Amino acid sequence: MQFIDEAAITLEAGNGGDGIIAWRREKYVPKGGPAGGDGGRGGAIYLEATPNLSTLVDFRFKKVFKAESGNAGSQNNSSGRAGDDLIIPVPVGTLVYRAPIDVEGSTGQERLFADMSVPEQRTLIAKGGRGGLGNQHYATSARQAPHFAEKGDKGERCAVRLELKLLADAGLIGLPNAGKSTLLSVVSAARPKIADYPFTTLEPQLGVVRIDEDLSFVLVDVPGLIEGASDGAGLGDRFLKHVERTRVLIHLMDGAKPLEDVLAEKATIERELAAWNPALPRKPTMLVVTKLDLPDARDTYDALREEFPTIRGISAATNEGVRELMFAAWDIVRALPPPDVAAAESAVHDLRPDEPFEIHIDTGIYVVTGERIERLAQMTDFESDEALARFEGILAKMGVTKKLRELGAHDGDTVRIAGVDFDYS
């Protein structure tokens, strides 16, 4: 299956059904009162982490997902049917970035919304609209026959960017042809492509390393990094993010190269890790010289041990040192908890202004924004004089009318709420 680690989609939760205007029509019940039913709520959209998926390839062609809208109410105080919720499966390890889309189609600021790192984790990403209230709710002693009802609330719309970070316990890093793919094929059942030229691995490869019957950990072979990878050179900027979730890094160095080249390449890898994420160099890192079956590699390994006493040497061809390396990696993995990537991103959800609304002036038009007030406008039937009067009364109670007056609004000025223009009076 093709490896897809990023996807951009649009989500539209279901709209709430409209409340209706209706009256009791029963024999022997003259002048029956209001009996308009409420609209059903719109379907919400959830994301669910599933271990059955390993890529985001399902989102390559389908870009828009819509939940079902609620039905309108009916007579005899009967509520409309609620829309079905939509559950979208994503791979475990998906980071979800969300940007709201307002009623005019403008996309807001993107923020990290969820870290889908736990199997079966379910997250509400777009709320369905509330169903409108029927006229049964607006009967009072002074208004016994209300001729208006609420419209259904619009469901939330948002632009979502999905970013898959593989969930691996240990990561193999190093320049191309350092022996990462060969090692992975020896210690696990993974079969990555192996050849004597750069970038034979074009996507991260996962393998399960079994320590014994009951103990194992996941090892990822990250495609070869080169100088400038953090800025987009080679393949590194696409795959550096996959080492952020690992608990230990296994840095492989090609022992067949001269000592000076090995040291220079080690510095290159460390520099690129730090440039991508300053926290990466602080991860536990095991230095490993590969290809000990070659005479030059043995000499390089002996020279490096003088400067790095904990360095290890292996030969994937003869299995020398491989078992010991995997046991040492397992000791580190089981001693450390998985990193909290979402916390590191400093996610901020649902920022709200201190006031329930804000007003700004745009080319002479007073634009009123705020979640509650925009929802109220969307649910008001402005063709009804009674509904309009109720809307204006709520604006006055919320302080919108007073604020407009303080900002210099005069009779006849245009006020815009949720894309609807009114004359201020």
Short mmCIF file of all heavy atoms in Angstrom, two decimals, residues 230-274:
data_model
loop_
_atom_site.label_atom_id
_atom_site.label_comp_id
_atom_site.label_asym_id
_atom_site.label_seq_id
_atom_site.Cartn_x
_atom_site.Cartn_y
_atom_site.Cartn_z
N SER A 230 16.48 18.95 7.30
CA SER A 230 15.47 19.69 8.06
C SER A 230 14.87 20.83 7.26
O SER A 230 13.79 21.33 7.57
CB SER A 230 16.08 20.23 9.35
OG SER A 230 17.17 21.09 9.06
N ASP A 231 15.55 21.25 6.19
CA ASP A 231 15.05 22.33 5.33
C ASP A 231 14.46 21.80 4.03
O ASP A 231 14.11 22.57 3.15
CB ASP A 231 16.18 23.32 5.00
CG ASP A 231 16.67 24.05 6.24
OD1 ASP A 231 15.82 24.36 7.10
OD2 ASP A 231 17.88 24.30 6.35
N GLY A 232 14.39 20.48 3.88
CA GLY A 232 13.76 19.91 2.70
C GLY A 232 14.67 19.16 1.76
O GLY A 232 14.21 18.61 0.76
N ALA A 233 15.97 19.11 2.04
CA ALA A 233 16.87 18.37 1.16
C ALA A 233 16.63 16.87 1.28
O ALA A 233 16.39 16.35 2.37
CB ALA A 233 18.33 18.69 1.49
N GLY A 234 16.73 16.17 0.15
CA GLY A 234 16.53 14.73 0.18
C GLY A 234 15.11 14.39 0.59
O GLY A 234 14.14 14.98 0.15
N LEU A 235 14.98 13.42 1.49
CA LEU A 235 13.67 12.98 1.97
C LEU A 235 13.45 13.32 3.44
O LEU A 235 12.39 13.04 3.98
CB LEU A 235 13.53 11.46 1.79
CG LEU A 235 13.71 10.93 0.36
CD1 LEU A 235 13.74 9.41 0.38
CD2 LEU A 235 12.58 11.42 -0.52
N GLY A 236 14.47 13.94 4.08
CA GLY A 236 14.44 14.07 5.52
C GLY A 236 13.30 14.87 6.09
O GLY A 236 12.72 14.53 7.11
N ASP A 237 12.92 15.98 5.41
CA ASP A 237 11.89 16.83 6.01
C ASP A 237 10.54 16.12 6.03
O ASP A 237 9.66 16.48 6.80
CB ASP A 237 11.78 18.16 5.27
CG ASP A 237 11.29 17.99 3.84
OD1 ASP A 237 11.65 16.97 3.21
OD2 ASP A 237 10.55 18.86 3.36
N ARG A 238 10.35 15.10 5.19
CA ARG A 238 9.10 14.34 5.21
C ARG A 238 9.07 13.34 6.35
O ARG A 238 7.99 12.98 6.84
CB ARG A 238 8.90 13.61 3.88
CG ARG A 238 8.59 14.50 2.70
CD ARG A 238 8.27 13.67 1.48
NE ARG A 238 7.17 12.75 1.72
CZ ARG A 238 6.92 11.67 0.99
NH1 ARG A 238 7.73 11.36 -0.02
NH2 ARG A 238 5.90 10.89 1.26
N PHE A 239 10.24 12.86 6.76
CA PHE A 239 10.25 11.72 7.66
C PHE A 239 10.93 11.98 9.01
O PHE A 239 10.90 11.11 9.88
CB PHE A 239 10.92 10.52 6.98
CG PHE A 239 10.24 10.13 5.70
CD1 PHE A 239 10.92 10.11 4.50
CD2 PHE A 239 8.89 9.81 5.70
CE1 PHE A 239 10.29 9.76 3.33
CE2 PHE A 239 8.25 9.45 4.53
CZ PHE A 239 8.95 9.42 3.33
N LEU A 240 11.53 13.14 9.18
CA LEU A 240 12.12 13.44 10.49
C LEU A 240 11.07 13.40 11.59
O LEU A 240 11.36 13.04 12.73
CB LEU A 240 12.79 14.82 10.46
CG LEU A 240 14.27 14.85 10.06
CD1 LEU A 240 14.72 16.26 9.76
CD2 LEU A 240 15.13 14.25 11.16
N LYS A 241 9.84 13.78 11.26
CA LYS A 241 8.79 13.80 12.28
C LYS A 241 8.51 12.42 12.85
O LYS A 241 8.00 12.30 13.96
CB LYS A 241 7.51 14.39 11.71
CG LYS A 241 6.96 13.65 10.51
CD LYS A 241 5.67 14.31 10.05
CE LYS A 241 5.20 13.72 8.73
NZ LYS A 241 5.35 14.63 7.63
N HIS A 242 8.86 11.37 12.10
CA HIS A 242 8.55 10.02 12.58
C HIS A 242 9.47 9.56 13.71
O HIS A 242 9.19 8.55 14.34
CB HIS A 242 8.59 9.02 11.41
CG HIS A 242 7.52 9.28 10.40
ND1 HIS A 242 6.18 9.24 10.70
CD2 HIS A 242 7.60 9.61 9.09
CE1 HIS A 242 5.48 9.52 9.62
NE2 HIS A 242 6.32 9.76 8.63
N VAL A 243 10.57 10.27 13.93
CA VAL A 243 11.43 9.89 15.05
C VAL A 243 11.04 10.62 16.33
O VAL A 243 11.56 10.31 17.39
CB VAL A 243 12.92 10.15 14.73
CG1 VAL A 243 13.33 9.43 13.48
CG2 VAL A 243 13.20 11.64 14.60
N GLU A 244 10.11 11.56 16.24
CA GLU A 244 9.74 12.35 17.42
C GLU A 244 9.03 11.50 18.47
O GLU A 244 9.08 11.81 19.66
CB GLU A 244 8.86 13.52 17.02
CG GLU A 244 9.61 14.58 16.22
CD GLU A 244 8.72 15.74 15.81
OE1 GLU A 244 7.48 15.59 15.89
OE2 GLU A 244 9.25 16.78 15.42
N ARG A 245 8.34 10.45 18.05
CA ARG A 245 7.59 9.62 18.99
C ARG A 245 8.41 8.46 19.55
O ARG A 245 7.94 7.75 20.42
CB ARG A 245 6.34 9.05 18.30
CG ARG A 245 5.25 10.08 18.06
CD ARG A 245 4.12 9.45 17.28
NE ARG A 245 3.06 10.41 17.03
CZ ARG A 245 1.92 10.46 17.70
NH1 ARG A 245 1.68 9.60 18.66
NH2 ARG A 245 1.00 11.37 17.42
N THR A 246 9.59 8.24 19.02
CA THR A 246 10.38 7.11 19.51
C THR A 246 10.96 7.40 20.88
O THR A 246 11.15 8.55 21.27
CB THR A 246 11.53 6.81 18.53
OG1 THR A 246 12.33 7.98 18.39
CG2 THR A 246 11.00 6.42 17.17
N ARG A 247 11.27 6.34 21.62
CA ARG A 247 11.86 6.50 22.95
C ARG A 247 13.38 6.45 22.91
O ARG A 247 14.04 6.96 23.81
CB ARG A 247 11.33 5.41 23.87
CG ARG A 247 9.81 5.41 23.98
CD ARG A 247 9.32 4.37 24.97
NE ARG A 247 8.12 3.72 24.46
CZ ARG A 247 7.36 2.92 25.18
NH1 ARG A 247 7.67 2.67 26.43
NH2 ARG A 247 6.29 2.36 24.65
N VAL A 248 13.92 5.80 21.88
CA VAL A 248 15.38 5.70 21.75
C VAL A 248 15.74 5.76 20.27
O VAL A 248 15.00 5.25 19.41
CB VAL A 248 15.91 4.40 22.40
CG1 VAL A 248 15.28 3.17 21.75
CG2 VAL A 248 17.43 4.34 22.31
N LEU A 249 16.85 6.41 19.97
CA LEU A 249 17.36 6.48 18.61
C LEU A 249 18.59 5.59 18.49
O LEU A 249 19.45 5.61 19.37
CB LEU A 249 17.72 7.93 18.24
CG LEU A 249 16.58 8.95 18.30
CD1 LEU A 249 17.10 10.34 17.96
CD2 LEU A 249 15.45 8.55 17.37
N ILE A 250 18.66 4.85 17.41
CA ILE A 250 19.82 4.00 17.13
C ILE A 250 20.52 4.61 15.92
O ILE A 250 20.03 4.50 14.79
CB ILE A 250 19.40 2.54 16.87
CG1 ILE A 250 18.62 1.99 18.07
CG2 ILE A 250 20.61 1.68 16.58
CD1 ILE A 250 18.06 0.59 17.86
N HIS A 251 21.62 5.27 16.17
CA HIS A 251 22.33 6.02 15.15
C HIS A 251 23.39 5.11 14.51
O HIS A 251 24.41 4.78 15.12
CB HIS A 251 22.98 7.26 15.77
CG HIS A 251 23.63 8.16 14.78
ND1 HIS A 251 24.01 9.44 15.09
CD2 HIS A 251 23.97 7.99 13.47
CE1 HIS A 251 24.56 10.01 14.02
NE2 HIS A 251 24.54 9.14 13.04
N LEU A 252 23.13 4.69 13.28
CA LEU A 252 24.05 3.79 12.57
C LEU A 252 25.04 4.61 11.75
O LEU A 252 24.67 5.54 11.03
CB LEU A 252 23.27 2.85 11.65
CG LEU A 252 22.23 1.94 12.31
CD1 LEU A 252 21.70 0.92 11.30
CD2 LEU A 252 22.79 1.23 13.53
N MET A 253 26.31 4.22 11.84
CA MET A 253 27.38 4.89 11.10
C MET A 253 28.12 3.85 10.25
O MET A 253 28.45 2.76 10.75
CB MET A 253 28.33 5.59 12.07
CG MET A 253 27.64 6.67 12.89
SD MET A 253 28.74 7.47 14.08
CE MET A 253 28.95 6.15 15.28
N ASP A 254 28.36 4.19 9.02
CA ASP A 254 28.97 3.27 8.06
C ASP A 254 30.45 3.07 8.39
O ASP A 254 31.29 3.94 8.14
CB ASP A 254 28.81 3.84 6.65
CG ASP A 254 29.23 2.85 5.57
OD1 ASP A 254 29.85 1.82 5.92
OD2 ASP A 254 28.95 3.09 4.39
N GLY A 255 30.79 1.90 8.95
CA GLY A 255 32.16 1.63 9.35
C GLY A 255 33.11 1.45 8.20
O GLY A 255 34.34 1.47 8.39
N ALA A 256 32.60 1.25 7.00
CA ALA A 256 33.47 1.05 5.84
C ALA A 256 34.10 2.36 5.37
O ALA A 256 35.01 2.34 4.53
CB ALA A 256 32.69 0.42 4.70
N LYS A 257 33.64 3.49 5.91
CA LYS A 257 34.16 4.78 5.49
C LYS A 257 35.32 5.21 6.38
O LYS A 257 35.46 4.73 7.52
CB LYS A 257 33.06 5.84 5.54
CG LYS A 257 31.95 5.60 4.52
CD LYS A 257 30.92 6.72 4.56
CE LYS A 257 29.84 6.50 3.50
NZ LYS A 257 28.84 7.58 3.49
N PRO A 258 36.18 6.13 5.93
CA PRO A 258 37.27 6.63 6.77
C PRO A 258 36.75 7.30 8.03
O PRO A 258 35.62 7.82 8.07
CB PRO A 258 37.98 7.65 5.85
CG PRO A 258 37.60 7.25 4.47
CD PRO A 258 36.23 6.67 4.56
N LEU A 259 37.57 7.30 9.08
CA LEU A 259 37.17 7.83 10.37
C LEU A 259 36.72 9.28 10.25
O LEU A 259 35.71 9.67 10.86
CB LEU A 259 38.34 7.72 11.36
CG LEU A 259 38.09 8.29 12.76
CD1 LEU A 259 36.94 7.56 13.44
CD2 LEU A 259 39.36 8.19 13.60
N GLU A 260 37.43 10.09 9.48
CA GLU A 260 37.08 11.50 9.36
C GLU A 260 35.68 11.67 8.76
O GLU A 260 34.90 12.52 9.20
CB GLU A 260 38.11 12.23 8.50
CG GLU A 260 39.51 12.28 9.06
CD GLU A 260 40.26 10.97 8.89
OE1 GLU A 260 39.76 10.09 8.12
OE2 GLU A 260 41.31 10.78 9.52
N ASP A 261 35.37 10.85 7.78
CA ASP A 261 34.04 10.92 7.15
C ASP A 261 32.95 10.49 8.13
O ASP A 261 31.86 11.08 8.17
CB ASP A 261 33.99 10.04 5.91
CG ASP A 261 34.86 10.58 4.79
OD1 ASP A 261 35.30 11.75 4.89
OD2 ASP A 261 35.12 9.84 3.82
N VAL A 262 33.22 9.46 8.91
CA VAL A 262 32.23 8.97 9.88
C VAL A 262 31.92 10.06 10.91
O VAL A 262 30.75 10.31 11.25
CB VAL A 262 32.73 7.69 10.58
CG1 VAL A 262 31.78 7.30 11.71
CG2 VAL A 262 32.86 6.56 9.56
N LEU A 263 32.95 10.73 11.41
CA LEU A 263 32.74 11.79 12.40
C LEU A 263 31.97 12.97 11.79
O LEU A 263 31.10 13.56 12.43
CB LEU A 263 34.08 12.27 12.95
CG LEU A 263 34.80 11.26 13.86
CD1 LEU A 263 36.21 11.77 14.20
CD2 LEU A 263 34.00 11.00 15.13
N ALA A 264 32.31 13.31 10.55
CA ALA A 264 31.61 14.41 9.88
C ALA A 264 30.14 14.07 9.66
O ALA A 264 29.25 14.92 9.85
CB ALA A 264 32.30 14.74 8.55
N GLU A 265 29.87 12.82 9.26
CA GLU A 265 28.48 12.42 9.03
C GLU A 265 27.70 12.34 10.33
O GLU A 265 26.51 12.67 10.37
CB GLU A 265 28.47 11.07 8.31
CG GLU A 265 29.01 11.17 6.88
CD GLU A 265 29.08 9.83 6.19
OE1 GLU A 265 28.82 8.80 6.87
OE2 GLU A 265 29.39 9.79 4.98
N LYS A 266 28.35 11.91 11.41
CA LYS A 266 27.71 11.91 12.72
C LYS A 266 27.28 13.33 13.10
O LYS A 266 26.15 13.55 13.56
CB LYS A 266 28.66 11.35 13.77
CG LYS A 266 28.15 11.45 15.21
CD LYS A 266 29.18 10.87 16.18
CE LYS A 266 28.72 11.00 17.63
NZ LYS A 266 28.65 12.40 18.07
N ALA A 267 28.16 14.30 12.90
CA ALA A 267 27.84 15.69 13.22
C ALA A 267 26.70 16.21 12.34
O ALA A 267 25.84 16.97 12.80
CB ALA A 267 29.08 16.56 13.05
N THR A 268 26.67 15.77 11.08
CA THR A 268 25.60 16.20 10.17
C THR A 268 24.24 15.73 10.67
O THR A 268 23.27 16.50 10.72
CB THR A 268 25.86 15.65 8.76
OG1 THR A 268 27.05 16.23 8.24
CG2 THR A 268 24.69 15.97 7.83
N ILE A 269 24.16 14.45 11.02
CA ILE A 269 22.88 13.90 11.50
C ILE A 269 22.44 14.62 12.77
O ILE A 269 21.26 15.01 12.91
CB ILE A 269 23.01 12.39 11.76
CG1 ILE A 269 23.21 11.63 10.45
CG2 ILE A 269 21.77 11.86 12.49
CD1 ILE A 269 22.04 11.72 9.49
N GLU A 270 23.34 14.82 13.71
CA GLU A 270 22.98 15.48 14.96
C GLU A 270 22.54 16.92 14.72
O GLU A 270 21.62 17.42 15.37
CB GLU A 270 24.17 15.43 15.92
CG GLU A 270 24.48 14.01 16.40
CD GLU A 270 25.77 13.93 17.18
OE1 GLU A 270 26.55 14.93 17.15
OE2 GLU A 270 26.03 12.89 17.82
N ARG A 271 23.17 17.57 13.77
CA ARG A 271 22.80 18.95 13.46
C ARG A 271 21.40 19.02 12.84
O ARG A 271 20.60 19.90 13.16
CB ARG A 271 23.83 19.54 12.50
CG ARG A 271 23.69 21.02 12.25
CD ARG A 271 24.94 21.60 11.61
NE ARG A 271 25.32 20.90 10.38
CZ ARG A 271 26.41 20.13 10.29
NH1 ARG A 271 27.22 19.97 11.33
NH2 ARG A 271 26.71 19.55 9.14
N GLU A 272 21.09 18.08 11.97
CA GLU A 272 19.77 18.07 11.34
C GLU A 272 18.67 17.73 12.33
O GLU A 272 17.57 18.28 12.27
CB GLU A 272 19.76 17.09 10.16
CG GLU A 272 20.66 17.48 9.00
CD GLU A 272 20.35 18.88 8.48
OE1 GLU A 272 19.15 19.24 8.42
OE2 GLU A 272 21.29 19.62 8.15
N LEU A 273 18.95 16.82 13.25
CA LEU A 273 17.96 16.50 14.29
C LEU A 273 17.65 17.72 15.13
O LEU A 273 16.49 18.03 15.43
CB LEU A 273 18.47 15.36 15.18
CG LEU A 273 18.61 13.97 14.54
CD1 LEU A 273 19.18 12.99 15.56
CD2 LEU A 273 17.27 13.47 14.03
N ALA A 274 18.68 18.45 15.54
CA ALA A 274 18.48 19.63 16.37
C ALA A 274 17.75 20.73 15.61
O ALA A 274 16.93 21.46 16.19
CB ALA A 274 19.83 20.15 16.88
#
